[in-house]
PDB file of all heavy atoms in Angstrom:
ATOM      1  N   SER A1320      15.046   7.445   2.823  1.00 98.00           N
ATOM      2  CA  SER A1320      16.294   6.924   2.266  1.00 98.00           C
ATOM      3  C   SER A1320      16.179   5.526   1.650  1.00 98.00           C
ATOM      4  O   SER A1320      17.069   5.129   0.914  1.00 98.00           O
ATOM      5  CB  SER A1320      17.373   6.879   3.363  1.00 98.00           C
ATOM      6  OG  SER A1320      17.583   8.142   3.954  1.00 98.00           O
ATOM      7  N   PHE A1321      15.114   4.799   1.973  1.00 98.00           N
ATOM      8  CA  PHE A1321      14.978   3.401   1.539  1.00 98.00           C
ATOM      9  C   PHE A1321      13.547   3.159   1.017  1.00 98.00           C
ATOM     10  O   PHE A1321      12.621   3.869   1.398  1.00 98.00           O
ATOM     11  CB  PHE A1321      15.188   2.429   2.693  1.00 98.00           C
ATOM     12  CG  PHE A1321      16.536   2.451   3.348  1.00 98.00           C
ATOM     13  CD1 PHE A1321      16.798   3.294   4.439  1.00 98.00           C
ATOM     14  CD2 PHE A1321      17.548   1.604   2.909  1.00 98.00           C
ATOM     15  CE1 PHE A1321      18.016   3.281   5.069  1.00 98.00           C
ATOM     16  CE2 PHE A1321      18.801   1.603   3.521  1.00 98.00           C
ATOM     17  CZ  PHE A1321      19.030   2.455   4.624  1.00 98.00           C
ATOM     18  N   ASN A1322      13.385   2.102   0.218  1.00 98.00           N
ATOM     19  CA  ASN A1322      12.084   1.458   0.091  1.00 98.00           C
ATOM     20  C   ASN A1322      11.890   0.669   1.390  1.00 98.00           C
ATOM     21  O   ASN A1322      12.810  -0.039   1.844  1.00 98.00           O
ATOM     22  CB  ASN A1322      12.062   0.484  -1.085  1.00 98.00           C
ATOM     23  CG  ASN A1322      12.248   1.197  -2.408  1.00 98.00           C
ATOM     24  OD1 ASN A1322      11.649   2.239  -2.664  1.00 98.00           O
ATOM     25  ND2 ASN A1322      13.066   0.610  -3.280  1.00 98.00           N
ATOM     26  N   VAL A1323      10.722   0.799   2.008  1.00 98.00           N
ATOM     27  CA  VAL A1323      10.516   0.182   3.308  1.00 98.00           C
ATOM     28  C   VAL A1323       9.201  -0.616   3.347  1.00 98.00           C
ATOM     29  O   VAL A1323       8.270  -0.347   2.592  1.00 98.00           O
ATOM     30  CB  VAL A1323      10.515   1.199   4.460  1.00 98.00           C
ATOM     31  CG1 VAL A1323      11.877   1.910   4.550  1.00 98.00           C
ATOM     32  CG2 VAL A1323       9.400   2.215   4.296  1.00 98.00           C
ATOM     33  N   VAL A1324       9.145  -1.578   4.262  1.00 98.00           N
ATOM     34  CA  VAL A1324       7.908  -2.304   4.554  1.00 98.00           C
ATOM     35  C   VAL A1324       7.806  -2.398   6.086  1.00 98.00           C
ATOM     36  O   VAL A1324       8.792  -2.699   6.755  1.00 98.00           O
ATOM     37  CB  VAL A1324       7.925  -3.726   3.968  1.00 98.00           C
ATOM     38  CG1 VAL A1324       6.598  -4.429   4.234  1.00 98.00           C
ATOM     39  CG2 VAL A1324       8.185  -3.697   2.482  1.00 98.00           C
ATOM     40  N   ASP A1325       6.596  -2.081   6.622  1.00 98.00           N
ATOM     41  CA  ASP A1325       6.407  -2.256   8.046  1.00 98.00           C
ATOM     42  C   ASP A1325       5.151  -3.095   8.335  1.00 98.00           C
ATOM     43  O   ASP A1325       4.386  -3.413   7.416  1.00 98.00           O
ATOM     44  CB  ASP A1325       6.407  -0.915   8.794  1.00 98.00           C
ATOM     45  CG  ASP A1325       5.055  -0.133   8.716  1.00 98.00           C
ATOM     46  OD1 ASP A1325       4.018  -0.725   8.330  1.00 98.00           O
ATOM     47  OD2 ASP A1325       5.061   1.065   9.050  1.00 98.00           O
ATOM     48  N   SER A1326       4.965  -3.410   9.619  1.00 98.00           N
ATOM     49  CA  SER A1326       3.796  -4.195  10.038  1.00 98.00           C
ATOM     50  C   SER A1326       2.961  -3.424  11.056  1.00 98.00           C
ATOM     51  O   SER A1326       2.415  -4.014  11.969  1.00 98.00           O
ATOM     52  CB  SER A1326       4.264  -5.522  10.654  1.00 98.00           C
ATOM     53  OG  SER A1326       5.132  -5.288  11.763  1.00 98.00           O
ATOM     54  N   PHE A1327       2.854  -2.130  10.855  1.00 97.00           N
ATOM     55  CA  PHE A1327       2.101  -1.256  11.759  1.00 97.00           C
ATOM     56  C   PHE A1327       0.685  -1.789  11.923  1.00 97.00           C
ATOM     57  O   PHE A1327      -0.053  -1.938  10.939  1.00 97.00           O
ATOM     58  CB  PHE A1327       2.067   0.167  11.204  1.00 97.00           C
ATOM     59  CG  PHE A1327       1.397   1.159  12.116  1.00 97.00           C
ATOM     60  CD1 PHE A1327       2.078   1.661  13.222  1.00 97.00           C
ATOM     61  CD2 PHE A1327       0.120   1.601  11.870  1.00 97.00           C
ATOM     62  CE1 PHE A1327       1.466   2.585  14.072  1.00 97.00           C
ATOM     63  CE2 PHE A1327      -0.499   2.535  12.694  1.00 97.00           C
ATOM     64  CZ  PHE A1327       0.193   3.012  13.799  1.00 97.00           C
ATOM     65  N   ASP A1328       0.281  -2.099  13.174  1.00 92.00           N
ATOM     66  CA  ASP A1328      -0.991  -2.793  13.340  1.00 92.00           C
ATOM     67  C   ASP A1328      -1.964  -2.115  14.289  1.00 92.00           C
ATOM     68  O   ASP A1328      -2.915  -2.749  14.788  1.00 92.00           O
ATOM     69  CB  ASP A1328      -0.759  -4.245  13.794  1.00 92.00           C
ATOM     70  CG  ASP A1328      -0.120  -4.355  15.178  1.00 92.00           C
ATOM     71  OD1 ASP A1328       0.204  -3.304  15.783  1.00 92.00           O
ATOM     72  OD2 ASP A1328       0.032  -5.502  15.668  1.00 92.00           O
ATOM     73  N   THR A1329      -1.748  -0.836  14.574  1.00 91.00           N
ATOM     74  CA  THR A1329      -2.736  -0.091  15.339  1.00 91.00           C
ATOM     75  C   THR A1329      -3.801   0.422  14.372  1.00 91.00           C
ATOM     76  O   THR A1329      -3.651   1.467  13.745  1.00 91.00           O
ATOM     77  CB  THR A1329      -2.081   1.089  16.089  1.00 91.00           C
ATOM     78  OG1 THR A1329      -0.985   0.611  16.875  1.00 91.00           O
ATOM     79  CG2 THR A1329      -3.084   1.765  17.015  1.00 91.00           C
ATOM     80  N   HIS A1330      -4.863  -0.351  14.224  1.00 93.00           N
ATOM     81  CA  HIS A1330      -5.860  -0.112  13.155  1.00 93.00           C
ATOM     82  C   HIS A1330      -6.379   1.333  13.157  1.00 93.00           C
ATOM     83  O   HIS A1330      -6.485   1.944  12.084  1.00 93.00           O
ATOM     84  CB  HIS A1330      -7.035  -1.072  13.300  1.00 93.00           C
ATOM     85  CG  HIS A1330      -6.692  -2.494  12.985  1.00 93.00           C
ATOM     86  ND1 HIS A1330      -6.928  -3.095  11.754  1.00 93.00           N
ATOM     87  CD2 HIS A1330      -6.098  -3.451  13.731  1.00 93.00           C
ATOM     88  CE1 HIS A1330      -6.512  -4.337  11.761  1.00 93.00           C
ATOM     89  NE2 HIS A1330      -6.015  -4.588  12.958  1.00 93.00           N
ATOM     90  N   ALA A1331      -6.674   1.863  14.319  1.00 94.00           N
ATOM     91  CA  ALA A1331      -7.287   3.204  14.392  1.00 94.00           C
ATOM     92  C   ALA A1331      -6.328   4.285  13.910  1.00 94.00           C
ATOM     93  O   ALA A1331      -6.766   5.350  13.484  1.00 94.00           O
ATOM     94  CB  ALA A1331      -7.721   3.487  15.813  1.00 94.00           C
ATOM     95  N   ALA A1332      -5.024   4.018  13.978  1.00 97.00           N
ATOM     96  CA  ALA A1332      -4.046   5.035  13.619  1.00 97.00           C
ATOM     97  C   ALA A1332      -3.475   4.868  12.201  1.00 97.00           C
ATOM     98  O   ALA A1332      -2.589   5.633  11.782  1.00 97.00           O
ATOM     99  CB  ALA A1332      -2.890   5.033  14.641  1.00 97.00           C
ATOM    100  N   ILE A1333      -3.960   3.876  11.461  1.00 98.00           N
ATOM    101  CA  ILE A1333      -3.407   3.628  10.127  1.00 98.00           C
ATOM    102  C   ILE A1333      -3.597   4.827   9.185  1.00 98.00           C
ATOM    103  O   ILE A1333      -2.654   5.180   8.477  1.00 98.00           O
ATOM    104  CB  ILE A1333      -4.030   2.337   9.518  1.00 98.00           C
ATOM    105  CG1 ILE A1333      -3.442   1.123  10.212  1.00 98.00           C
ATOM    106  CG2 ILE A1333      -3.755   2.264   8.020  1.00 98.00           C
ATOM    107  CD1 ILE A1333      -4.052  -0.207   9.772  1.00 98.00           C
ATOM    108  N   PRO A1334      -4.745   5.502   9.132  1.00 98.00           N
ATOM    109  CA  PRO A1334      -4.884   6.634   8.211  1.00 98.00           C
ATOM    110  C   PRO A1334      -3.842   7.731   8.470  1.00 98.00           C
ATOM    111  O   PRO A1334      -3.244   8.251   7.521  1.00 98.00           O
ATOM    112  CB  PRO A1334      -6.292   7.128   8.492  1.00 98.00           C
ATOM    113  CG  PRO A1334      -7.033   5.914   8.924  1.00 98.00           C
ATOM    114  CD  PRO A1334      -6.048   5.172   9.768  1.00 98.00           C
ATOM    115  N   GLN A1335      -3.608   8.057   9.723  1.00 98.00           N
ATOM    116  CA  GLN A1335      -2.591   9.090  10.042  1.00 98.00           C
ATOM    117  C   GLN A1335      -1.207   8.606   9.697  1.00 98.00           C
ATOM    118  O   GLN A1335      -0.403   9.368   9.122  1.00 98.00           O
ATOM    119  CB  GLN A1335      -2.683   9.445  11.521  1.00 98.00           C
ATOM    120  CG  GLN A1335      -1.657  10.506  11.950  1.00 98.00           C
ATOM    121  CD  GLN A1335      -1.719  10.800  13.427  1.00 98.00           C
ATOM    122  OE1 GLN A1335      -2.470  10.162  14.162  1.00 98.00           O
ATOM    123  NE2 GLN A1335      -0.899  11.724  13.864  1.00 98.00           N
ATOM    124  N   HIS A1336      -0.911   7.345  10.016  1.00 98.00           N
ATOM    125  CA  HIS A1336       0.401   6.782   9.693  1.00 98.00           C
ATOM    126  C   HIS A1336       0.620   6.798   8.185  1.00 98.00           C
ATOM    127  O   HIS A1336       1.715   7.171   7.697  1.00 98.00           O
ATOM    128  CB  HIS A1336       0.462   5.343  10.227  1.00 98.00           C
ATOM    129  CG  HIS A1336       1.798   4.679  10.090  1.00 98.00           C
ATOM    130  ND1 HIS A1336       2.965   5.207  10.605  1.00 98.00           N
ATOM    131  CD2 HIS A1336       2.157   3.497   9.475  1.00 98.00           C
ATOM    132  CE1 HIS A1336       3.967   4.385  10.339  1.00 98.00           C
ATOM    133  NE2 HIS A1336       3.490   3.350   9.661  1.00 98.00           N
ATOM    134  N   PHE A1337      -0.398   6.450   7.414  1.00 98.00           N
ATOM    135  CA  PHE A1337      -0.299   6.455   5.957  1.00 98.00           C
ATOM    136  C   PHE A1337       0.055   7.847   5.443  1.00 98.00           C
ATOM    137  O   PHE A1337       0.951   7.994   4.604  1.00 98.00           O
ATOM    138  CB  PHE A1337      -1.631   5.976   5.352  1.00 98.00           C
ATOM    139  CG  PHE A1337      -1.599   5.955   3.834  1.00 98.00           C
ATOM    140  CD1 PHE A1337      -1.292   4.804   3.149  1.00 98.00           C
ATOM    141  CD2 PHE A1337      -1.921   7.111   3.105  1.00 98.00           C
ATOM    142  CE1 PHE A1337      -1.268   4.787   1.763  1.00 98.00           C
ATOM    143  CE2 PHE A1337      -1.894   7.093   1.716  1.00 98.00           C
ATOM    144  CZ  PHE A1337      -1.556   5.929   1.037  1.00 98.00           C
ATOM    145  N   GLU A1338      -0.633   8.860   5.914  1.00 98.00           N
ATOM    146  CA  GLU A1338      -0.396  10.216   5.428  1.00 98.00           C
ATOM    147  C   GLU A1338       1.032  10.696   5.687  1.00 98.00           C
ATOM    148  O   GLU A1338       1.674  11.285   4.814  1.00 98.00           O
ATOM    149  CB  GLU A1338      -1.401  11.184   6.095  1.00 98.00           C
ATOM    150  CG  GLU A1338      -2.819  11.004   5.619  1.00 98.00           C
ATOM    151  CD  GLU A1338      -3.786  11.970   6.275  1.00 98.00           C
ATOM    152  OE1 GLU A1338      -3.314  12.881   6.978  1.00 98.00           O
ATOM    153  OE2 GLU A1338      -5.018  11.808   6.089  1.00 98.00           O
ATOM    154  N   GLN A1339       1.537  10.420   6.863  1.00 98.00           N
ATOM    155  CA  GLN A1339       2.888  10.839   7.208  1.00 98.00           C
ATOM    156  C   GLN A1339       3.925  10.115   6.363  1.00 98.00           C
ATOM    157  O   GLN A1339       4.878  10.723   5.863  1.00 98.00           O
ATOM    158  CB  GLN A1339       3.140  10.610   8.699  1.00 98.00           C
ATOM    159  CG  GLN A1339       2.285  11.493   9.612  1.00 98.00           C
ATOM    160  CD  GLN A1339       2.432  11.143  11.062  1.00 98.00           C
ATOM    161  OE1 GLN A1339       2.814  10.003  11.429  1.00 98.00           O
ATOM    162  NE2 GLN A1339       2.117  12.080  11.937  1.00 98.00           N
ATOM    163  N   VAL A1340       3.733   8.808   6.218  1.00 98.00           N
ATOM    164  CA  VAL A1340       4.691   8.012   5.435  1.00 98.00           C
ATOM    165  C   VAL A1340       4.603   8.338   3.966  1.00 98.00           C
ATOM    166  O   VAL A1340       5.603   8.413   3.267  1.00 98.00           O
ATOM    167  CB  VAL A1340       4.483   6.501   5.699  1.00 98.00           C
ATOM    168  CG1 VAL A1340       5.375   5.658   4.801  1.00 98.00           C
ATOM    169  CG2 VAL A1340       4.726   6.168   7.164  1.00 98.00           C
ATOM    170  N   ASP A1341       3.403   8.558   3.470  1.00 98.00           N
ATOM    171  CA  ASP A1341       3.214   8.887   2.056  1.00 98.00           C
ATOM    172  C   ASP A1341       3.956  10.168   1.677  1.00 98.00           C
ATOM    173  O   ASP A1341       4.577  10.257   0.611  1.00 98.00           O
ATOM    174  CB  ASP A1341       1.714   9.042   1.759  1.00 98.00           C
ATOM    175  CG  ASP A1341       1.435   9.174   0.269  1.00 98.00           C
ATOM    176  OD1 ASP A1341       1.987   8.368  -0.526  1.00 98.00           O
ATOM    177  OD2 ASP A1341       0.646  10.049  -0.107  1.00 98.00           O
ATOM    178  N   GLN A1342       3.895  11.142   2.547  1.00 98.00           N
ATOM    179  CA  GLN A1342       4.617  12.377   2.264  1.00 98.00           C
ATOM    180  C   GLN A1342       6.113  12.163   2.223  1.00 98.00           C
ATOM    181  O   GLN A1342       6.802  12.659   1.321  1.00 98.00           O
ATOM    182  CB  GLN A1342       4.278  13.426   3.336  1.00 98.00           C
ATOM    183  CG  GLN A1342       4.924  14.778   3.091  1.00 98.00           C
ATOM    184  CD  GLN A1342       4.488  15.817   4.112  1.00 98.00           C
ATOM    185  OE1 GLN A1342       3.781  15.528   5.062  1.00 98.00           O
ATOM    186  NE2 GLN A1342       4.932  17.060   3.919  1.00 98.00           N
ATOM    187  N   ALA A1343       6.659  11.391   3.169  1.00 98.00           N
ATOM    188  CA  ALA A1343       8.079  11.142   3.223  1.00 98.00           C
ATOM    189  C   ALA A1343       8.546  10.331   2.024  1.00 98.00           C
ATOM    190  O   ALA A1343       9.551  10.664   1.375  1.00 98.00           O
ATOM    191  CB  ALA A1343       8.444  10.399   4.518  1.00 98.00           C
ATOM    192  N   ALA A1344       7.827   9.237   1.695  1.00 98.00           N
ATOM    193  CA  ALA A1344       8.232   8.376   0.587  1.00 98.00           C
ATOM    194  C   ALA A1344       8.016   9.066  -0.748  1.00 98.00           C
ATOM    195  O   ALA A1344       8.835   8.909  -1.669  1.00 98.00           O
ATOM    196  CB  ALA A1344       7.429   7.067   0.643  1.00 98.00           C
ATOM    197  N   GLY A1345       6.932   9.837  -0.879  1.00 98.00           N
ATOM    198  CA  GLY A1345       6.700  10.534  -2.128  1.00 98.00           C
ATOM    199  C   GLY A1345       7.749  11.577  -2.419  1.00 98.00           C
ATOM    200  O   GLY A1345       8.206  11.717  -3.558  1.00 98.00           O
ATOM    201  N   THR A1346       8.151  12.289  -1.384  1.00 98.00           N
ATOM    202  CA  THR A1346       9.176  13.332  -1.555  1.00 98.00           C
ATOM    203  C   THR A1346      10.526  12.752  -1.916  1.00 98.00           C
ATOM    204  O   THR A1346      11.269  13.280  -2.740  1.00 98.00           O
ATOM    205  CB  THR A1346       9.301  14.162  -0.276  1.00 98.00           C
ATOM    206  OG1 THR A1346       8.041  14.770   0.026  1.00 98.00           O
ATOM    207  CG2 THR A1346      10.351  15.251  -0.413  1.00 98.00           C
ATOM    208  N   SER A1347      10.862  11.587  -1.311  1.00 98.00           N
ATOM    209  CA  SER A1347      12.177  10.970  -1.541  1.00 98.00           C
ATOM    210  C   SER A1347      12.205  10.079  -2.780  1.00 98.00           C
ATOM    211  O   SER A1347      13.288   9.630  -3.190  1.00 98.00           O
ATOM    212  CB  SER A1347      12.564  10.139  -0.326  1.00 98.00           C
ATOM    213  OG  SER A1347      11.734   8.997  -0.187  1.00 98.00           O
ATOM    214  N   GLY A1348      11.037   9.770  -3.360  1.00 98.00           N
ATOM    215  CA  GLY A1348      11.002   8.907  -4.526  1.00 98.00           C
ATOM    216  C   GLY A1348      11.070   7.437  -4.207  1.00 98.00           C
ATOM    217  O   GLY A1348      11.508   6.636  -5.054  1.00 98.00           O
TER     218      GLY A1348
END
C-alpha cells in the first residue's frame, strides 16, 4: 500500500527478506 523504507539488519536473512518484499512491492507498483 505504500512506498516503504526499513532497517532490517539480520544479515543472513536479507536475501529471503528481499525476495518477499520485492514480490509485494512489484505487484503493488
Side-chain angles (χ1 to χ4, degrees):
S1320 303
F1321 298 91
N1322 297 316
V1323 297
V1324 183
D1325 80 15
S1326 59
F1327 185 77
D1328 66 356
T1329 306
H1330 291 262
I1333 287 175
Q1335 179 183 2
H1336 186 56
F1337 180 94
E1338 290 181 9
Q1339 293 174 337
V1340 174
D1341 188 46
Q1342 183 176 4
T1346 301
S1347 68

